[in-house]
Amino acid sequence: MTPPIRVLIVDDEPLARERLKELLADEADMTVIGECRDGVEAIAAIGKERPDLVLLDVQMPEPDGFGVLRAVAQERQPAVIFVTAHRDFAVQAFEANALDYLLKPFDRERFRLSLSRVRERRRTGATELDADLIERLDALSQRLPPASEPYATKLVAKVGWRMRFLRVEDIDYLEAEGNYVSVHLGKQSYLARETMNALEAKLDPKDFVRAHRSLIVRVDRIEEVEPLPPGEFVLTLRDGTKLTSGRSYRARLQRALDLPS
């Protein structure tokens, strides 16, 4: 008897994890062996549990999904299906040799198509992406229609008892501050009562880059980059503000700023 396919779910959103568990409950040859809320938990679970399949979110507390794959030794690397609300990482998924790239929201039929790829890989032992998936990844990265929910053009901040609307184009950077996020515009800063992940999802990734678990920076405000030995960067903005990036966000900054590896 063929043993079940052991699945690890990695997503920082509890509802997303529950949805995946519900869908997997109908698959007799699949068993969920665990769930993780962030990249650190995912790396530890992959090393300890050796899952056959990881349903992996892309954007989550550091390291992100790609950081997880970089941290896992090649011989331990399971089959991976990226599950994300962000269409912008399809090319990276292709480069990471993912079996599929599920763009939220997706239906049961689309999910089962992804699982069929996992079964086929187990049956044949194939490690290369098939032509159909390559074609669809290319479509995701180059020919997708505009998102139904466009990126935000303004954010809402609290000023005393009032609410202030902040134009996204005026924002220099955003920084976590307790249960709030401090939104910096020139010499002014305002508190937005949202998580960093929620705000990051609202901002166009062509204009903003996550530089740290607690920092998002507008790309065109960065005037100078100074690398530090541990893999961090000191980012100097146009107004002289200096910000330090996180080591696990190095690759994101390199891509966003077209820096050499």
Side-chain angles (χ1 to χ4, degrees), residues 103-120:
L103 192 63
K104 301 175 184 175
F106 52 86
D107 58 21
R108 188 177 297 272
E109 182 179 355
R110 179 65 183 86
F111 184 68
R112 283 182 166 165
L113 175 60
S114 287
L115 297 185
S116 71
R117 297 182 183 282
V118 180
R119 296 182 178 105
E120 181 66 12

Side-chain angles (χ1 to χ4, degrees), residues 22-39:
E22 289 175 8
L23 292 171
L24 286 165
D26 293 333
E27 307 300 325
D29 61 342
M30 304 259 172
T31 182
V32 176
I33 61 167
E35 54 184 284
C36 303
R37 299 167 297 179
D38 56 41

Side-chain angles (χ1 to χ4, degrees), residues 137-169:
L137 284 172
D138 182 61
L140 272 172
S141 61
Q142 298 184 36
R143 299 190 295 272
L144 276 173
S148 58
E149 296 184 9
Y151 295 110
T153 58
K154 61 185 177 183
L155 301 180
V156 180
K158 185 177 180 182
V159 182
W161 294 102
R162 296 174 289 116
M163 306 303 289
R164 187 181 187 94
F165 295 101
L166 311 176
R167 295 195 308 172
V168 166
E169 63 190 59

Side-chain angles (χ1 to χ4, degrees), residues 3-261:
I5 295 172
R6 303 167 68 252
V7 185
L8 180 69
I9 297 171
V10 183
D11 199 303
D12 62 341
E13 298 179 3
L15 290 178
R17 297 197 300 271
E18 287 300 318
R19 170 64 172 157
L20 289 172
K21 285 192 291 186
E22 289 175 8
L23 292 171
L24 286 165
D26 293 333
E27 307 300 325
D29 61 342
M30 304 259 172
T31 182
V32 176
I33 61 167
E35 54 184 284
C36 303
R37 299 167 297 179
D38 56 41
V40 173
E41 289 185 2
I43 292 168
I46 292 171
K48 180 181 178 180
E49 302 295 340
R50 304 291 184 90
D52 302 308
L53 169 65
V54 178
L55 301 178
L56 183 60
D57 191 12
V58 174
Q59 291 192 305
M60 57 186 176
E62 61 180 278
D64 63 8
F66 295 107
V68 169
L69 295 188
R70 287 193 296 271
V72 178
Q74 190 65 37
E75 63 272 14
R76 292 185 180 182
Q77 201 165 98
V80 173
I81 294 174
F82 281 109
V83 184
T84 177
H86 301 275
R87 66 185 66 201
D88 306 273
F89 302 100
V91 170
Q92 291 166 253
F94 171 84
E95 293 170 348
N97 210 28
L99 285 184
D100 209 344
Y101 190 88
L102 277 175
L103 192 63
K104 301 175 184 175
F106 52 86
D107 58 21
R108 188 177 297 272
E109 182 179 355
R110 179 65 183 86
F111 184 68
R112 283 182 166 165
L113 175 60
S114 287
L115 297 185
S116 71
R117 297 182 183 282
V118 180
R119 296 182 178 105
E120 181 66 12
R121 169 169 162 162
R122 168 177 275 201
R123 187 182 68 81
T124 64
T127 58
E128 298 298 322
L129 296 178
D130 61 67
D132 176 61
L133 179 56
I134 290 174
E135 182 178 347
R136 289 191 298 105
L137 284 172
D138 182 61
L140 272 172
S141 61
Q142 298 184 36
R143 299 190 295 272
L144 276 173
S148 58
E149 296 184 9
Y151 295 110
T153 58
K154 61 185 177 183
L155 301 180
V156 180
K158 185 177 180 182
V159 182
W161 294 102
R162 296 174 289 116
M163 306 303 289
R164 187 181 187 94
F165 295 101
L166 311 176
R167 295 195 308 172
V168 166
E169 63 190 59
D170 295 333
I171 295 173
D172 298 321
Y173 65 100
L174 304 91
E175 192 172 27
E177 190 171 318
N179 295 326
Y180 294 81
V181 172
S182 183
V183 184
H184 294 262
L185 303 83
K187 296 181 180 180
Q188 303 294 321
S189 64
Y190 303 90
L191 292 178
R193 192 163 190 171
E194 294 194 69
T195 66
M196 291 292 285
N197 284 347
L199 287 174
E200 183 182 17
K202 292 182 177 182
L203 300 172
D204 192 333
K206 297 193 299 297
D207 298 327
F208 290 87
V209 59
R210 186 80 171 260
H212 191 281
R213 186 172 185 173
S214 59
L215 179 67
I216 299 172
V217 186
R218 189 173 180 91
V219 173
D220 66 7
R221 299 296 199 272
I222 301 173
E223 189 168 76
E224 185 176 285
V225 178
E226 178 186 352
L228 297 178
E232 300 171 343
F233 291 109
V234 174
L235 310 175
T236 303
L237 306 191
R238 291 178 185 174
D239 63 0
T241 299
K242 292 185 181 294
L243 305 168
T244 303
S245 69
R247 275 179 284 179
S248 60
Y249 291 85
R250 180 184 181 91
R252 289 197 197 186
L253 280 165
Q254 288 173 323
R255 290 192 297 270
L257 302 175
D258 197 24
L259 298 174
S261 301

